[in-house]
């Protein structure tokens, strides 16, 4: 069985558009997690293998077709959160305090 390459689904404009669209449904903690991963991937010092893991997880987040359709109330985004959490566990050593601060600043700007 072939597994889709979700990293090919990732694009920066689509990422920001999806965050804006699902911002309230994702919740603050999930958004913060996605943003921390995003800023870690954007960092030149993050290794290529870690960027691949991150872009795959973020691609899964923004892809409209995944294990549990995002439009389902309550459970629609649980698989996305699980994928983001697994990605963070895998690349945690490459998510720095600087990435966390940038994510928090972006989140603050989103929620006002």
């Amino acid at each position: 069985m072939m597994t889709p390459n979700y990293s090919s689904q990732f694009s920066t404009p689509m990422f920001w558009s999806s965050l804006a669209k699902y911002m309230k449904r994702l919740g603050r903690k999930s958004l913060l997690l996605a943003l921390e991963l995003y800023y870690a991937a954007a960092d030149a010092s993050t290794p290529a293998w870690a960027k691949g893991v991150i872009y795959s997880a973020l691609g899964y987040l923004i892809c409209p077709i995944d294990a549990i359709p995002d439009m389902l109330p309550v459970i629609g985004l649980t698989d996305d959160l699980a994928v983001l959490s697994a990605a963070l566990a895998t690349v945690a050593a490459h998510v720095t305090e600087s990435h966390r601060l940038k994510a928090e600043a972006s989140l603050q700007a989103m929620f006002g």
Side-chain angles (χ1 to χ4, degrees):
M1 175 175 169
M2 293 281 295
T3 51
N5 179 0
Y6 287 103
S7 62
S8 66
Q9 298 293 318
F10 180 82
S11 75
T12 298
M14 186 69 149
F15 173 73
W16 289 107
S17 173
S18 294
L19 283 190
K21 182 178 178 182
Y22 293 115
M23 168 162 101
K24 290 181 181 173
R25 289 186 57 210
L26 275 171
R28 185 177 177 80
K29 287 183 182 181
S30 299
L31 281 170
L32 188 59
L33 176 57
L35 288 166
E36 287 174 1
L37 289 169
Y38 173 78
Y39 287 117
D43 190 332
S45 67
T46 300
W49 70 265
K51 288 181 181 195
V53 169
I54 293 168
Y55 286 134
S56 291
L58 295 177
Y60 188 85
L61 174 67
I62 65 176
C63 183
I65 301 169
D66 56 25
I68 302 173
D70 295 340
M71 290 161 252
L72 290 176
V74 182
I75 64 166
L77 295 169
T78 56
D79 60 323
D80 300 82
L81 180 56
V83 169
L84 291 175
S85 297
L88 180 60
T90 304
V91 301
H94 302 287
V95 178
T96 67
E97 186 62 26
S98 172
H99 303 143
R100 288 183 187 93
L101 292 173
K102 286 179 184 176
E104 187 62 47
S106 291
L107 196 59
Q108 192 66 25
M110 286 176 165
F111 282 106

